[in-house]
Amino acid sequence: FCAVGGVEPQSETVWRQAENFGIPKLAFINKLDRPGADFAMVLDAMRRRLGANPVPVTIPLGKEDALRGVIDLIRQESLVFDEADLGRSVTRAPLTDEEAAVAAPWREKLVEALAETDDDLLQAYLGGEAIAEEALHKALRAATLAGGMVPVFAGAALRNIGVQPLLDAVVAYLPS
């Protein structure tokens, strides 16, 4: 999906066909490096226009021309893509305090959405327990395959920002 244009007619057509055939989906909000890009607006448009249940797995790190990477909400780390080699090199790092503050509400929504689909996860969530990364991946794969939610990834494909986590998700969450 275009981060500026939102849900465009061709995206809506492809989405409807995937729905008709029961194909599990991932979403990539692209062009987040452009002026006027709005990640949250696209998520809202997906809910309204497509009836989707989009659940962000990565969120943008930076905005518009200051976009430098993404925040992985499951691993709770930042991924910064090197502009010198067009994003081929990725530096993973623990979240800074500022990044953690931005990521916290997004991660909470992710964990809550997954807890609604998995009884074991729900018990751990309601009990205030720390939830293992593997449990989140397992629940996300199951919910994706069942069509109950759509994992959403952020980035700018032209600069190779966020593409690697999306490709990893194809392997982790979609059928072989």
Side-chain angles (χ1 to χ4, degrees), residues 7-85:
V7 176
E8 297 173 323
Q10 67 272 22
S11 300
E12 195 168 357
T13 300
V14 171
W15 188 275
R16 299 280 182 232
Q17 284 293 356
E19 286 286 304
N20 287 340
F21 290 103
I23 298 171
K25 296 170 284 303
L26 301 177
F28 183 70
I29 298 179
N30 192 21
K31 303 177 186 176
L32 283 162
D33 56 343
R34 293 207 176 156
D38 188 340
F39 186 74
M41 177 271 302
V42 179
L43 293 172
D44 184 54
M46 289 174 71
R47 283 184 202 94
R48 283 184 296 102
R49 291 187 58 188
L50 304 174
N53 181 16
V55 179
V57 177
T58 66
I59 59 172
L61 180 59
K63 192 171 182 171
E64 297 178 352
D65 62 346
L67 180 74
R68 62 186 198 281
V70 297
I71 294 175
D72 183 327
L73 297 173
I74 293 179
R75 291 193 174 110
Q76 299 188 77
E77 63 185 8
S78 65
L79 287 77
V80 177
F81 299 83
D82 188 355
E83 287 192 37
D85 65 2

